[in-house]
Amino acid sequence: MTIRDRLWMTFRHLQVSLIGSILVILAIAIGVALAAATTAFIIQYNQQSEELLNHPIYREVYVEALGDPRTETELQLPVVEMEGNLKDAKLLSVTDLPLVLQSVPGLTHAYIAEGIKFRSTSYLMESGLGEAAVKGIAAMRETRAAAAAKSGVDPENPKATGEVMGGTKGGALGGAPGGAMGGETGAFVLDLKDVTEIPVDEFFGIFATPDFFTAYTLNAASGSLFTEEDLKAGNQVMILGSNLAETLFPDGNAIGSRISVNWQTFTILGILEPSDIVAPQNGYALNDFAFAPHFLFAGAAFGKNIRGQGLPTLRFAVEDSDDIQQAVIQLEEFLKQEYPNVNLRVTAAVDKLETERQKLSRILIVLIFLTAAGLFIAAINMFNLLLIRVIKQTKGIGVLRALGFTRDNVLQHFLFESFIMSLAGAVIGLAASPFLFRFLQSALVSGIEQGSSTFFLDLLLGAAIAFVFSIVFGLYPAYVARQTETSTALRAE
Amino acid sequence: MIELKGITKIYDLGHMQITALKGIDLEISRGEFITIMGPSGSGKSTLLHILGILDEADEGSYLLEKNDLTTLSDKELSRIRNQNFGFIFQSFNLFNEFNALENVMFPLIQAGIPRAERRERAMSLLTTVGLDNRVGHYPNMLSGGEQQRVAIARSLAMDPTFILADEPTGNLPSEQGAEILAMLDDLNKKGVTVIMVTHDDKLGERGTRAVRMIDGEIVKDFRRD
């Protein structure tokens, strides 16, 4: 008998109990979709989390102050030593970064990386946020002038370019004083001369120190990265991620251009090579970020920083992910010795990943159980339908035998029916599984990418498991049909 | 030629055993029209099933054209059944999900006849039984007599040596039954060996030979010349 004849017979038989057949196919489809998506998700998650272990983000160790830094002085950490009511607080300084590197041999990088949202200055002005900002900046300028008077540094001209470093973290404006300000102290005028108008209202940024680039293996594709000198001088320079550079400067003239964001102007110094690193805080690719020198160091250059609050996190990194736990212990010991009264917490970023993995693995176990249960129910349904069909077709089996069909032909016929139903279910389930994968992705964890080279293989693996499972449950009814005695079958009513 | 020797068939019902056939000896020559008669439970249908290799005897031997069938595999027996025997049943036993033409094609599918050829042959057979205008009709759209004619066409699909008919008119009104019997007569005249089981003594008057069975034994074997 040809495959075509077999298909013809099978489809006719399936039509006889159409609704039952459709329900079984749908049940198998759900089981296959679940199995395929879950398998792909688990494999991809494991692969990617293994890869993540060697990812720069997870080679990071960070030191945080516990509690609310705005109310507890000891938690003003780490920040440049400050005047006034914080004078007696025991604080980590940014100068501790190299000191820590020297004292903790396991660590290879030390840096600050602080997220910020850059908003175009013209957007801020149009949004009616300009007035408040100008007032704030004027007030800041007065404070800074007073600090400069004590340290002997001219706040308006701390460096050769004539630009002023400063800034506050986040906030409604996300902005900072400084930029190209003209005129006398207290009379703030924003000079937007030679500034390129950018085509977006806002973008993500990171205030960092140069070692951040080394730790994250970020290199300049064109132009250059900022240096220790830029940092200390408070130069208003900016490095753009590859995507952001294309967005802001579609014509490609980024290097050397000046842009105005958060009431400051920045000169574009370089563009990074494309990177696959995703910022763990918000899931955006670093290619979409801008990077500027961290202002705390410029403040240090003035002697005292104009900011009134601390920076919550110092970051360190190791070269080899295997050294992390050792580095954490060494860092804890160092900090305990240096700052015995400060409530600090040292965390390896990888621990967070591990905690997430453990949490997720519990969810995945439940998911696997549900998948198995779904598949089992689908298979039982098919088993039931086929068995009932065999019983209902007992006489038909007898007639087939009378017409010359062998026992094996009968077995193959019923097995083919379960095969076709499983195949139809598998195809539908497989088609639906990428959607289910995306659902799992959004519901459980971000950052698990679909579409890597193994994705469809993983889906196929899941589908194959479900498919074989369904076929196995079709075997027994087919066997019952095969064993039916012809003369008994012909006498059946 | 068929030769049955000492055929015994016992049904094991668990709590009891029923001997359906008790050492049957029977020789059937080509071209005969045999009616096997007997009351219900006399073993006539069991004998027909054994003759058509639908059932196996517990004892005895079965020679078809001098070949012993008792040693053959299921595959070989199925092939012999497909090529040598055509079956007609009391309740027609057509496949309801297939139309008349498709029902007739079934034995041809199993024999591996190409699609075009089996279609042509099935059409020709349905024309022979007077159903050329009903080929696309499904069994539930046909009368009992028409269904039985489809069954006859199907039984002839492989041009068999033997037609085995189990109460072929049992579910039909007398007029339609007469038509079917006339067809069987006609087939026999064309050289097909017809073996018909019936409980109706009147039907036993047809054909060339009448076999009467009671309690699993042949009590009378009468040839008409």
Side-chain angles (χ1 to χ4, degrees):
Chain A
M1 194 187 295
T2 62
I3 292 284
R4 191 177 166 187
D5 291 330
R6 215 177 272 287
L7 275 172
W8 170 67
M9 282 176 68
T10 300
F11 281 119
R12 286 298 180 82
H13 276 127
L14 292 179
Q15 278 173 15
V16 174
S17 49
L18 191 62
I19 292 174
S21 304
I22 289 173
L23 286 177
V24 168
I25 289 170
L26 282 180
I28 292 171
I30 292 168
V32 168
L34 265 171
T38 311
T39 309
F41 187 81
I42 291 170
I43 294 174
Q44 300 254 317
Y45 180 74
N46 280 334
Q47 273 175 358
Q48 290 184 25
S49 55
E50 284 298 320
E51 284 167 19
L52 280 178
L53 289 178
N54 280 318
H55 198 281
I57 290 171
Y58 293 103
R59 293 205 304 259
E60 204 169 61
V61 177
Y62 46 92
V63 181
E64 295 169 292
L66 298 177
D68 183 353
R70 287 167 303 185
T71 55
E72 295 174 54
T73 54
E74 72 169 41
L75 302 177
Q76 297 290 319
L77 169 93
V79 74
V80 185
E81 290 171 28
M82 304 191 68
E83 294 288 303
N85 61 349
L86 294 175
K87 195 169 70 176
D88 300 327
K90 186 67 178 172
L91 300 170
L92 266 179
S93 159
V94 286
T95 54
D96 283 330
L97 287 176
L99 178 67
V100 172
L101 273 192
Q102 282 167 18
S103 311
V104 182
L107 298 172
T108 50
H109 304 283
Y111 51 93
I112 290 173
E114 196 179 0
I116 187 169
K117 191 174 262 187
F118 285 120
R119 290 188 173 92
S120 139
T121 300
S122 50
Y123 166 70
L124 291 173
M125 292 172 85
E126 284 165 18
S127 309
L129 297 165
E131 196 184 340
V134 168
K135 280 181 184 168
I137 290 164
M140 294 277 191
R141 283 171 58 84
E142 282 174 21
T143 313
R144 193 169 55 178
K150 282 187 183 179
S151 63
V153 176
D154 176 4
E156 293 304 314
N157 191 20
K159 53 189 170 60
T161 60
E163 291 187 340
V164 181
M165 180 60 212
T168 57
K169 185 186 79 164
L173 288 173
M181 293 181 288
E184 296 302 314
T185 300
F188 175 77
V189 179
L190 186 67
D191 178 11
L192 295 177
K193 205 174 119 192
D194 298 331
V195 163
T196 305
E197 192 60 38
I198 54 172
V200 295
D201 291 338
E202 57 183 36
F203 53 88
F204 291 111
I206 291 176
F207 280 128
T209 57
D211 212 10
F212 168 78
F213 295 111
T214 329
Y216 275 58
T217 56
L218 297 170
N219 301 307
S222 59
S224 60
L225 302 177
F226 57 76
T227 61
E228 289 287 336
E229 284 67 38
D230 288 315
L231 198 71
K232 285 173 184 163
N235 287 345
Q236 298 280 98
V237 292
M238 191 175 269
I239 312 295
L240 301 180
S242 54
N243 286 350
L244 184 65
E246 282 175 24
T247 309
L248 298 187
F249 296 94
D251 53 3
N253 298 328
I255 308 294
S257 297
R258 294 171 72 227
I259 62 170
S260 180
V261 288
N262 293 4
W263 305 99
Q264 302 168 80
T265 54
F266 289 88
T267 303
I268 308 301
L269 202 59
I271 298 171
L272 293 179
E273 287 174 351
S275 159
D276 60 354
I277 300 176
V278 171
Q281 293 86 351
N282 59 11
Y284 284 90
L286 287 191
N287 294 334
D288 293 319
F289 277 66
F291 307 87
H294 202 285
F295 42 81
L296 275 182
F297 289 83
F302 302 147
K304 301 297 167 195
N305 193 277
I306 55 171
R307 296 182 68 223
Q309 62 189 53
L311 177 70
T313 310
L314 277 183
R315 295 173 190 275
F316 303 92
V318 295
E319 202 65 50
D320 186 344
S321 55
D322 292 341
D323 299 337
I324 284 184
Q325 297 311 332
Q326 182 67 19
V328 167
I329 294 166
Q330 288 173 353
L331 186 58
E332 278 173 341
E333 281 172 6
F334 167 78
L335 293 171
K336 217 174 272 178
Q337 271 178 8
E338 290 291 311
Y339 307 102
N341 300 319
V342 181
N343 192 12
L344 298 170
R345 179 170 63 196
V346 178
T347 313
V350 73
D351 291 345
K352 217 171 172 183
L353 178 71
E354 203 49 53
T355 313
E356 273 177 26
R357 278 181 69 171
Q358 282 172 7
K359 213 190 286 175
L360 191 68
S361 67
R362 282 194 288 273
I363 297 171
L364 289 178
I365 287 170
V366 173
L367 205 62
I368 289 168
F369 176 77
L370 287 176
T371 302
L375 258 180
F376 187 70
I377 290 166
I380 290 285
N381 265 330
M382 194 177 78
F383 174 84
N384 221 5
L385 183 91
L386 288 173
L387 201 57
I388 290 169
R389 199 169 280 179
V390 166
I391 293 164
K392 277 170 78 174
Q393 290 183 15
T394 302
K395 195 155 199 164
I397 293 167
V399 177
L400 282 177
R401 298 275 289 132
L403 298 180
F405 285 68
T406 65
R407 284 188 187 280
D408 287 342
N409 289 151
V410 172
L411 176 105
Q412 287 158 11
H413 172 67
F414 282 93
L415 209 53
F416 202 68
E417 270 192 33
S418 66
F419 172 80
I420 290 294
M421 283 196 284
S422 301
L423 188 68
V427 169
I428 296 170
L430 201 56
S433 55
F435 300 101
L436 201 61
F437 181 92
R438 257 175 238 149
F439 172 75
L440 291 177
Q441 194 183 25
S442 60
L444 296 179
V445 64
S446 60
I448 297 301
E449 298 292 327
Q450 174 193 324
S452 79
S453 57
T454 62
F455 177 68
F456 285 103
L457 276 179
D458 301 340
L459 282 187
L460 280 177
L461 176 69
I465 293 167
F467 182 63
V468 169
F469 191 69
S470 311
I471 288 286
V472 165
F473 273 74
L475 262 176
Y476 180 72
Y479 178 74
V480 169
R482 183 194 188 278
Q483 294 306 100
T484 304
E485 285 300 330
T486 312
S487 58
T488 314
L490 284 170
R491 288 190 179 101
E493 288 307 316
Chain B
M1 184 179 180
I2 292 174
E3 288 177 73
L4 299 184
K5 278 186 188 163
I7 294 292
T8 298
K9 180 69 187 175
I10 300 166
Y11 289 110
D12 190 350
L13 303 180
H15 59 287
M16 62 185 291
Q17 288 189 330
I18 293 173
T19 306
L21 298 175
K22 298 171 182 167
I24 298 284
D25 293 327
L26 185 65
E27 284 186 12
I28 299 170
S29 303
R30 282 195 174 213
E32 285 190 296
F33 188 142
I34 304 176
T35 51
I36 302 173
M37 295 172 294
S40 182
S42 60
K44 54 189 188 301
S45 287
T46 304
L47 179 60
L48 191 79
H49 285 178
I50 289 192
L51 283 167
I53 340 171
L54 297 173
D55 208 350
E56 285 176 43
D58 294 306
E59 283 174 30
S61 67
Y62 183 159
L63 300 180
L64 176 68
E65 309 297 353
K66 307 283 182 196
N67 296 312
D68 186 358
L69 301 187
T70 49
T71 56
L72 299 183
S73 67
D74 176 62
K75 195 175 173 184
E76 289 164 324
L77 291 174
S78 297
R79 187 183 54 77
I80 290 170
R81 199 161 50 233
N82 176 258
Q83 293 181 355
N84 294 277
F85 296 96
F87 293 89
I88 302 167
F89 302 98
Q90 181 177 357
S91 52
F92 326 128
N93 287 349
L94 298 178
F95 297 112
N96 290 325
E97 59 271 33
F98 297 92
N99 64 30
L101 188 74
E102 290 162 347
N103 264 285
V104 176
M105 289 199 299
F106 261 81
L108 303 169
I109 291 171
Q110 180 58 13
I113 308 287
R115 205 171 176 79
E117 190 184 334
R118 66 189 183 221
R119 193 176 177 82
E120 194 181 327
R121 210 191 287 187
M123 274 297 292
S124 158
L125 286 163
L126 284 169
T127 306
T128 306
V129 297
L131 289 175
D132 49 329
N133 56 343
R134 313 299 295 267
V135 291
H137 286 62
Y138 286 82
N140 59 4
M141 299 156 79
L142 300 171
S143 71
E146 286 171 329
Q147 288 189 52
Q148 197 62 299
R149 280 194 272 163
V150 174
I152 290 173
R154 182 176 69 181
S155 72
L156 296 172
M158 290 299 294
D159 196 14
T161 315
F162 302 94
I163 291 286
L164 305 183
D166 192 354
E167 306 273 12
T169 59
N171 281 358
L172 296 176
S174 55
E175 196 179 326
Q176 290 180 9
E179 281 175 16
I180 298 301
L181 291 171
M183 277 184 185
L184 292 177
D185 281 336
D186 201 33
L187 285 172
N188 180 244
K189 279 174 193 154
K190 287 175 182 167
V192 178
T193 307
V194 177
I195 304 166
M196 182 173 73
V197 162
T198 179
H199 67 279
D200 186 346
D201 287 348
K202 280 185 186 171
L203 295 184
E205 292 166 7
R206 306 183 85 90
T208 59
R209 184 175 168 192
V211 172
R212 177 167 290 279
M213 291 185 71
I214 294 175
D215 292 337
E217 289 176 297
I218 294 175
V219 294
K220 187 180 171 188
D221 189 348
F222 172 73
R223 287 171 201 270
R224 298 185 190 93
D225 293 320

